[in-house]
PDB file of all heavy atoms in Angstrom:
ATOM      1  N   TYR X  19      -4.653   1.966  -6.592  1.00 98.00           N
ATOM      2  CA  TYR X  19      -5.849   1.319  -6.090  1.00 98.00           C
ATOM      3  C   TYR X  19      -6.984   1.541  -7.080  1.00 98.00           C
ATOM      4  O   TYR X  19      -6.905   2.407  -7.955  1.00 98.00           O
ATOM      5  CB  TYR X  19      -6.274   1.904  -4.739  1.00 98.00           C
ATOM      6  CG  TYR X  19      -5.379   1.564  -3.560  1.00 98.00           C
ATOM      7  CD1 TYR X  19      -4.136   2.165  -3.406  1.00 98.00           C
ATOM      8  CD2 TYR X  19      -5.800   0.662  -2.587  1.00 98.00           C
ATOM      9  CE1 TYR X  19      -3.329   1.872  -2.318  1.00 98.00           C
ATOM     10  CE2 TYR X  19      -4.998   0.362  -1.495  1.00 98.00           C
ATOM     11  CZ  TYR X  19      -3.767   0.972  -1.364  1.00 98.00           C
ATOM     12  OH  TYR X  19      -2.973   0.680  -0.281  1.00 98.00           O
ATOM     13  N   ARG X  20      -8.074   0.775  -6.928  1.00 98.00           N
ATOM     14  CA  ARG X  20      -9.271   1.023  -7.711  1.00 98.00           C
ATOM     15  C   ARG X  20     -10.508   0.725  -6.875  1.00 98.00           C
ATOM     16  O   ARG X  20     -10.462  -0.070  -5.935  1.00 98.00           O
ATOM     17  CB  ARG X  20      -9.293   0.205  -9.000  1.00 98.00           C
ATOM     18  CG  ARG X  20      -9.446  -1.299  -8.795  1.00 98.00           C
ATOM     19  CD  ARG X  20      -9.336  -2.024 -10.128  1.00 98.00           C
ATOM     20  NE  ARG X  20      -9.497  -3.459  -9.980  1.00 98.00           N
ATOM     21  CZ  ARG X  20      -9.304  -4.336 -10.963  1.00 98.00           C
ATOM     22  NH1 ARG X  20      -8.941  -3.914 -12.176  1.00 98.00           N
ATOM     23  NH2 ARG X  20      -9.482  -5.638 -10.739  1.00 98.00           N
ATOM     24  N   GLN X  21     -11.607   1.378  -7.230  1.00 98.00           N
ATOM     25  CA  GLN X  21     -12.886   1.142  -6.572  1.00 98.00           C
ATOM     26  C   GLN X  21     -13.961   0.998  -7.643  1.00 98.00           C
ATOM     27  O   GLN X  21     -14.263   1.952  -8.356  1.00 98.00           O
ATOM     28  CB  GLN X  21     -13.244   2.272  -5.605  1.00 98.00           C
ATOM     29  CG  GLN X  21     -14.480   1.978  -4.772  1.00 98.00           C
ATOM     30  CD  GLN X  21     -14.635   2.931  -3.607  1.00 98.00           C
ATOM     31  OE1 GLN X  21     -14.167   4.071  -3.653  1.00 98.00           O
ATOM     32  NE2 GLN X  21     -15.289   2.471  -2.556  1.00 98.00           N
ATOM     33  N   ALA X  22     -14.519  -0.209  -7.751  1.00 97.00           N
ATOM     34  CA  ALA X  22     -15.578  -0.512  -8.700  1.00 97.00           C
ATOM     35  C   ALA X  22     -16.931  -0.254  -8.043  1.00 97.00           C
ATOM     36  O   ALA X  22     -17.041  -0.231  -6.813  1.00 97.00           O
ATOM     37  CB  ALA X  22     -15.476  -1.960  -9.158  1.00 97.00           C
ATOM     38  N   PRO X  23     -17.991  -0.073  -8.852  1.00 90.00           N
ATOM     39  CA  PRO X  23     -19.324   0.167  -8.281  1.00 90.00           C
ATOM     40  C   PRO X  23     -19.734  -0.933  -7.303  1.00 90.00           C
ATOM     41  O   PRO X  23     -19.647  -2.124  -7.617  1.00 90.00           O
ATOM     42  CB  PRO X  23     -20.230   0.174  -9.515  1.00 90.00           C
ATOM     43  CG  PRO X  23     -19.340   0.591 -10.633  1.00 90.00           C
ATOM     44  CD  PRO X  23     -18.005  -0.033 -10.322  1.00 90.00           C
ATOM     45  N   GLY X  24     -20.170  -0.540  -6.114  1.00 93.00           N
ATOM     46  CA  GLY X  24     -20.636  -1.480  -5.116  1.00 93.00           C
ATOM     47  C   GLY X  24     -19.556  -2.280  -4.417  1.00 93.00           C
ATOM     48  O   GLY X  24     -19.879  -3.205  -3.654  1.00 93.00           O
ATOM     49  N   LYS X  25     -18.284  -1.960  -4.641  1.00 96.00           N
ATOM     50  CA  LYS X  25     -17.184  -2.704  -4.042  1.00 96.00           C
ATOM     51  C   LYS X  25     -16.263  -1.773  -3.259  1.00 96.00           C
ATOM     52  O   LYS X  25     -16.261  -0.567  -3.463  1.00 96.00           O
ATOM     53  CB  LYS X  25     -16.380  -3.441  -5.110  1.00 96.00           C
ATOM     54  CG  LYS X  25     -17.166  -4.464  -5.901  1.00 96.00           C
ATOM     55  CD  LYS X  25     -16.292  -5.197  -6.902  1.00 96.00           C
ATOM     56  CE  LYS X  25     -15.270  -6.084  -6.216  1.00 96.00           C
ATOM     57  NZ  LYS X  25     -14.453  -6.857  -7.179  1.00 96.00           N
ATOM     58  N   GLN X  26     -15.486  -2.355  -2.351  1.00 97.00           N
ATOM     59  CA  GLN X  26     -14.504  -1.591  -1.589  1.00 97.00           C
ATOM     60  C   GLN X  26     -13.287  -1.283  -2.446  1.00 97.00           C
ATOM     61  O   GLN X  26     -12.998  -1.979  -3.419  1.00 97.00           O
ATOM     62  CB  GLN X  26     -14.071  -2.365  -0.341  1.00 97.00           C
ATOM     63  CG  GLN X  26     -15.131  -2.489   0.735  1.00 97.00           C
ATOM     64  CD  GLN X  26     -14.583  -3.115   1.996  1.00 97.00           C
ATOM     65  OE1 GLN X  26     -14.098  -4.247   1.974  1.00 97.00           O
ATOM     66  NE2 GLN X  26     -14.652  -2.384   3.093  1.00 97.00           N
ATOM     67  N   ARG X  27     -12.564  -0.241  -2.077  1.00 97.00           N
ATOM     68  CA  ARG X  27     -11.325   0.104  -2.759  1.00 97.00           C
ATOM     69  C   ARG X  27     -10.297  -1.003  -2.512  1.00 97.00           C
ATOM     70  O   ARG X  27     -10.133  -1.473  -1.391  1.00 97.00           O
ATOM     71  CB  ARG X  27     -10.820   1.457  -2.247  1.00 97.00           C
ATOM     72  CG  ARG X  27      -9.649   2.020  -3.014  1.00 97.00           C
ATOM     73  CD  ARG X  27      -9.716   3.532  -3.129  1.00 97.00           C
ATOM     74  NE  ARG X  27     -10.116   4.193  -1.900  1.00 97.00           N
ATOM     75  CZ  ARG X  27     -10.494   5.465  -1.817  1.00 97.00           C
ATOM     76  NH1 ARG X  27     -10.542   6.212  -2.921  1.00 97.00           N
ATOM     77  NH2 ARG X  27     -10.841   5.991  -0.669  1.00 97.00           N
ATOM     78  N   GLU X  28      -9.598  -1.412  -3.574  1.00 97.00           N
ATOM     79  CA  GLU X  28      -8.643  -2.502  -3.477  1.00 97.00           C
ATOM     80  C   GLU X  28      -7.292  -2.106  -4.052  1.00 97.00           C
ATOM     81  O   GLU X  28      -7.200  -1.317  -4.989  1.00 97.00           O
ATOM     82  CB  GLU X  28      -9.159  -3.751  -4.201  1.00 97.00           C
ATOM     83  CG  GLU X  28      -9.320  -3.575  -5.700  1.00 97.00           C
ATOM     84  CD  GLU X  28      -9.674  -4.861  -6.427  1.00 97.00           C
ATOM     85  OE1 GLU X  28      -9.393  -5.952  -5.895  1.00 97.00           O
ATOM     86  OE2 GLU X  28     -10.236  -4.770  -7.537  1.00 97.00           O
ATOM     87  N   LEU X  29      -6.236  -2.682  -3.500  1.00 98.00           N
ATOM     88  CA  LEU X  29      -4.884  -2.465  -3.998  1.00 98.00           C
ATOM     89  C   LEU X  29      -4.694  -3.207  -5.310  1.00 98.00           C
ATOM     90  O   LEU X  29      -4.967  -4.406  -5.399  1.00 98.00           O
ATOM     91  CB  LEU X  29      -3.860  -2.944  -2.968  1.00 98.00           C
ATOM     92  CG  LEU X  29      -2.387  -2.847  -3.364  1.00 98.00           C
ATOM     93  CD1 LEU X  29      -1.973  -1.384  -3.536  1.00 98.00           C
ATOM     94  CD2 LEU X  29      -1.509  -3.523  -2.322  1.00 98.00           C
ATOM     95  N   VAL X  30      -4.206  -2.504  -6.333  1.00 98.00           N
ATOM     96  CA  VAL X  30      -3.994  -3.077  -7.656  1.00 98.00           C
ATOM     97  C   VAL X  30      -2.520  -3.357  -7.908  1.00 98.00           C
ATOM     98  O   VAL X  30      -2.160  -4.429  -8.400  1.00 98.00           O
ATOM     99  CB  VAL X  30      -4.549  -2.144  -8.756  1.00 98.00           C
ATOM    100  CG1 VAL X  30      -4.195  -2.667 -10.146  1.00 98.00           C
ATOM    101  CG2 VAL X  30      -6.053  -1.996  -8.606  1.00 98.00           C
ATOM    102  N   ALA X  31      -1.652  -2.388  -7.595  1.00 98.00           N
ATOM    103  CA  ALA X  31      -0.230  -2.523  -7.886  1.00 98.00           C
ATOM    104  C   ALA X  31       0.581  -1.655  -6.944  1.00 98.00           C
ATOM    105  O   ALA X  31       0.105  -0.642  -6.445  1.00 98.00           O
ATOM    106  CB  ALA X  31       0.069  -2.146  -9.340  1.00 98.00           C
ATOM    107  N   ARG X  32       1.836  -2.045  -6.731  1.00 98.00           N
ATOM    108  CA  ARG X  32       2.731  -1.335  -5.819  1.00 98.00           C
ATOM    109  C   ARG X  32       4.147  -1.423  -6.370  1.00 98.00           C
ATOM    110  O   ARG X  32       4.558  -2.472  -6.875  1.00 98.00           O
ATOM    111  CB  ARG X  32       2.658  -1.958  -4.421  1.00 98.00           C
ATOM    112  CG  ARG X  32       3.579  -1.378  -3.364  1.00 98.00           C
ATOM    113  CD  ARG X  32       3.296  -2.055  -2.021  1.00 98.00           C
ATOM    114  NE  ARG X  32       4.126  -1.546  -0.940  1.00 98.00           N
ATOM    115  CZ  ARG X  32       5.286  -2.077  -0.566  1.00 98.00           C
ATOM    116  NH1 ARG X  32       5.762  -3.147  -1.188  1.00 98.00           N
ATOM    117  NH2 ARG X  32       5.966  -1.545   0.438  1.00 98.00           N
ATOM    118  N   ILE X  33       4.898  -0.321  -6.281  1.00 98.00           N
ATOM    119  CA  ILE X  33       6.297  -0.320  -6.674  1.00 98.00           C
ATOM    120  C   ILE X  33       7.099   0.380  -5.589  1.00 98.00           C
ATOM    121  O   ILE X  33       6.793   1.501  -5.189  1.00 98.00           O
ATOM    122  CB  ILE X  33       6.514   0.330  -8.063  1.00 98.00           C
ATOM    123  CG1 ILE X  33       7.985   0.230  -8.474  1.00 98.00           C
ATOM    124  CG2 ILE X  33       6.020   1.765  -8.098  1.00 98.00           C
ATOM    125  CD1 ILE X  33       8.226   0.555  -9.944  1.00 98.00           C
ATOM    126  N   THR X  34       8.140  -0.278  -5.084  1.00 97.00           N
ATOM    127  CA  THR X  34       8.966   0.280  -4.021  1.00 97.00           C
ATOM    128  C   THR X  34      10.016   1.218  -4.591  1.00 97.00           C
ATOM    129  O   THR X  34      10.249   1.270  -5.798  1.00 97.00           O
ATOM    130  CB  THR X  34       9.659  -0.824  -3.223  1.00 97.00           C
ATOM    131  OG1 THR X  34      10.662  -1.445  -4.042  1.00 97.00           O
ATOM    132  CG2 THR X  34       8.668  -1.876  -2.750  1.00 97.00           C
ATOM    133  N   SER X  35      10.671   1.970  -3.705  1.00 95.00           N
ATOM    134  CA  SER X  35      11.736   2.867  -4.142  1.00 95.00           C
ATOM    135  C   SER X  35      12.887   2.103  -4.783  1.00 95.00           C
ATOM    136  O   SER X  35      13.626   2.667  -5.591  1.00 95.00           O
ATOM    137  CB  SER X  35      12.248   3.695  -2.962  1.00 95.00           C
ATOM    138  OG  SER X  35      12.780   2.866  -1.943  1.00 95.00           O
ATOM    139  N   GLY X  36      13.040   0.827  -4.445  1.00 95.00           N
ATOM    140  CA  GLY X  36      14.059  -0.012  -5.041  1.00 95.00           C
ATOM    141  C   GLY X  36      13.634  -0.706  -6.318  1.00 95.00           C
ATOM    142  O   GLY X  36      14.440  -1.432  -6.912  1.00 95.00           O
ATOM    143  N   GLY X  37      12.377  -0.508  -6.746  1.00 96.00           N
ATOM    144  CA  GLY X  37      11.905  -1.055  -8.006  1.00 96.00           C
ATOM    145  C   GLY X  37      11.189  -2.386  -7.913  1.00 96.00           C
ATOM    146  O   GLY X  37      10.794  -2.950  -8.939  1.00 96.00           O
ATOM    147  N   ARG X  38      11.000  -2.908  -6.719  1.00 98.00           N
ATOM    148  CA  ARG X  38      10.267  -4.167  -6.564  1.00 98.00           C
ATOM    149  C   ARG X  38       8.777  -3.918  -6.761  1.00 98.00           C
ATOM    150  O   ARG X  38       8.227  -2.936  -6.272  1.00 98.00           O
ATOM    151  CB  ARG X  38      10.528  -4.767  -5.190  1.00 98.00           C
ATOM    152  CG  ARG X  38       9.966  -6.170  -5.010  1.00 98.00           C
ATOM    153  CD  ARG X  38      10.391  -6.787  -3.692  1.00 98.00           C
ATOM    154  NE  ARG X  38       9.737  -6.142  -2.557  1.00 98.00           N
ATOM    155  CZ  ARG X  38      10.339  -5.329  -1.703  1.00 98.00           C
ATOM    156  NH1 ARG X  38      11.633  -5.054  -1.844  1.00 98.00           N
ATOM    157  NH2 ARG X  38       9.662  -4.802  -0.695  1.00 98.00           N
ATOM    158  N   THR X  39       8.087  -4.817  -7.480  1.00 98.00           N
ATOM    159  CA  THR X  39       6.675  -4.641  -7.802  1.00 98.00           C
ATOM    160  C   THR X  39       5.814  -5.764  -7.244  1.00 98.00           C
ATOM    161  O   THR X  39       6.278  -6.893  -7.055  1.00 98.00           O
ATOM    162  CB  THR X  39       6.456  -4.556  -9.317  1.00 98.00           C
ATOM    163  OG1 THR X  39       6.946  -5.748  -9.943  1.00 98.00           O
ATOM    164  CG2 THR X  39       7.173  -3.345  -9.891  1.00 98.00           C
ATOM    165  N   ASN X  40       4.545  -5.443  -6.982  1.00 98.00           N
ATOM    166  CA  ASN X  40       3.541  -6.405  -6.559  1.00 98.00           C
ATOM    167  C   ASN X  40       2.234  -6.075  -7.261  1.00 98.00           C
ATOM    168  O   ASN X  40       1.938  -4.908  -7.508  1.00 98.00           O
ATOM    169  CB  ASN X  40       3.323  -6.361  -5.043  1.00 98.00           C
ATOM    170  CG  ASN X  40       4.568  -6.674  -4.251  1.00 98.00           C
ATOM    171  OD1 ASN X  40       5.300  -5.779  -3.847  1.00 98.00           O
ATOM    172  ND2 ASN X  40       4.820  -7.957  -4.037  1.00 98.00           N
ATOM    173  N   TYR X  41       1.439  -7.112  -7.566  1.00 98.00           N
ATOM    174  CA  TYR X  41       0.176  -6.937  -8.269  1.00 98.00           C
ATOM    175  C   TYR X  41      -0.908  -7.793  -7.644  1.00 98.00           C
ATOM    176  O   TYR X  41      -0.644  -8.881  -7.124  1.00 98.00           O
ATOM    177  CB  TYR X  41       0.307  -7.329  -9.738  1.00 98.00           C
ATOM    178  CG  TYR X  41       1.311  -6.513 -10.504  1.00 98.00           C
ATOM    179  CD1 TYR X  41       2.625  -6.942 -10.632  1.00 98.00           C
ATOM    180  CD2 TYR X  41       0.940  -5.314 -11.103  1.00 98.00           C
ATOM    181  CE1 TYR X  41       3.555  -6.189 -11.334  1.00 98.00           C
ATOM    182  CE2 TYR X  41       1.865  -4.558 -11.806  1.00 98.00           C
ATOM    183  CZ  TYR X  41       3.171  -4.995 -11.918  1.00 98.00           C
ATOM    184  OH  TYR X  41       4.090  -4.247 -12.620  1.00 98.00           O
ATOM    185  N   ALA X  42      -2.145  -7.296  -7.721  1.00 98.00           N
ATOM    186  CA  ALA X  42      -3.281  -8.127  -7.369  1.00 98.00           C
ATOM    187  C   ALA X  42      -3.381  -9.292  -8.348  1.00 98.00           C
ATOM    188  O   ALA X  42      -3.060  -9.153  -9.531  1.00 98.00           O
ATOM    189  CB  ALA X  42      -4.567  -7.302  -7.400  1.00 98.00           C
ATOM    190  N   ASP X  43      -3.829 -10.442  -7.862  1.00 98.00           N
ATOM    191  CA  ASP X  43      -3.941 -11.616  -8.724  1.00 98.00           C
ATOM    192  C   ASP X  43      -4.816 -11.359  -9.949  1.00 98.00           C
ATOM    193  O   ASP X  43      -4.557 -11.898 -11.027  1.00 98.00           O
ATOM    194  CB  ASP X  43      -4.496 -12.798  -7.942  1.00 98.00           C
ATOM    195  CG  ASP X  43      -3.505 -13.377  -6.950  1.00 98.00           C
ATOM    196  OD1 ASP X  43      -2.298 -13.105  -7.075  1.00 98.00           O
ATOM    197  OD2 ASP X  43      -3.943 -14.115  -6.043  1.00 98.00           O
ATOM    198  N   SER X  44      -5.837 -10.523  -9.799  1.00 98.00           N
ATOM    199  CA  SER X  44      -6.780 -10.278 -10.873  1.00 98.00           C
ATOM    200  C   SER X  44      -6.182  -9.507 -12.047  1.00 98.00           C
ATOM    201  O   SER X  44      -6.746  -9.524 -13.141  1.00 98.00           O
ATOM    202  CB  SER X  44      -8.003  -9.524 -10.342  1.00 98.00           C
ATOM    203  OG  SER X  44      -7.622  -8.294  -9.763  1.00 98.00           O
ATOM    204  N   VAL X  45      -5.050  -8.823 -11.840  1.00 98.00           N
ATOM    205  CA  VAL X  45      -4.442  -8.025 -12.907  1.00 98.00           C
ATOM    206  C   VAL X  45      -3.051  -8.507 -13.285  1.00 98.00           C
ATOM    207  O   VAL X  45      -2.471  -7.997 -14.256  1.00 98.00           O
ATOM    208  CB  VAL X  45      -4.377  -6.529 -12.535  1.00 98.00           C
ATOM    209  CG1 VAL X  45      -5.736  -6.028 -12.090  1.00 98.00           C
ATOM    210  CG2 VAL X  45      -3.333  -6.277 -11.453  1.00 98.00           C
ATOM    211  N   LYS X  46      -2.513  -9.475 -12.572  1.00 98.00           N
ATOM    212  CA  LYS X  46      -1.160  -9.956 -12.825  1.00 98.00           C
ATOM    213  C   LYS X  46      -1.036 -10.474 -14.253  1.00 98.00           C
ATOM    214  O   LYS X  46      -1.870 -11.245 -14.724  1.00 98.00           O
ATOM    215  CB  LYS X  46      -0.797 -11.044 -11.819  1.00 98.00           C
ATOM    216  CG  LYS X  46       0.682 -11.379 -11.754  1.00 98.00           C
ATOM    217  CD  LYS X  46       0.982 -12.302 -10.574  1.00 98.00           C
ATOM    218  CE  LYS X  46       0.699 -11.612  -9.249  1.00 98.00           C
ATOM    219  NZ  LYS X  46       1.032 -12.470  -8.080  1.00 98.00           N
ATOM    220  N   GLY X  47       0.006 -10.035 -14.943  1.00 98.00           N
ATOM    221  CA  GLY X  47       0.220 -10.414 -16.331  1.00 98.00           C
ATOM    222  C   GLY X  47      -0.418  -9.484 -17.334  1.00 98.00           C
ATOM    223  O   GLY X  47      -0.097  -9.563 -18.526  1.00 98.00           O
ATOM    224  N   ARG X  48      -1.322  -8.607 -16.883  1.00 98.00           N
ATOM    225  CA  ARG X  48      -1.993  -7.658 -17.764  1.00 98.00           C
ATOM    226  C   ARG X  48      -1.603  -6.209 -17.478  1.00 98.00           C
ATOM    227  O   ARG X  48      -1.550  -5.393 -18.398  1.00 98.00           O
ATOM    228  CB  ARG X  48      -3.510  -7.789 -17.638  1.00 98.00           C
ATOM    229  CG  ARG X  48      -4.042  -9.171 -18.010  1.00 98.00           C
ATOM    230  CD  ARG X  48      -5.573  -9.182 -18.056  1.00 98.00           C
ATOM    231  NE  ARG X  48      -6.160  -8.899 -16.753  1.00 98.00           N
ATOM    232  CZ  ARG X  48      -6.959  -7.866 -16.501  1.00 98.00           C
ATOM    233  NH1 ARG X  48      -7.283  -7.014 -17.473  1.00 98.00           N
ATOM    234  NH2 ARG X  48      -7.454  -7.686 -15.280  1.00 98.00           N
TER     235      ARG X  48
END
């Protein structure tokens, strides 16, 4: 997760025990 100044904490990335990944649209590809 990340929390920028003046903003709520947001989910950035997730990886399951099986290796499946998910990303926020703002960071996908980077």
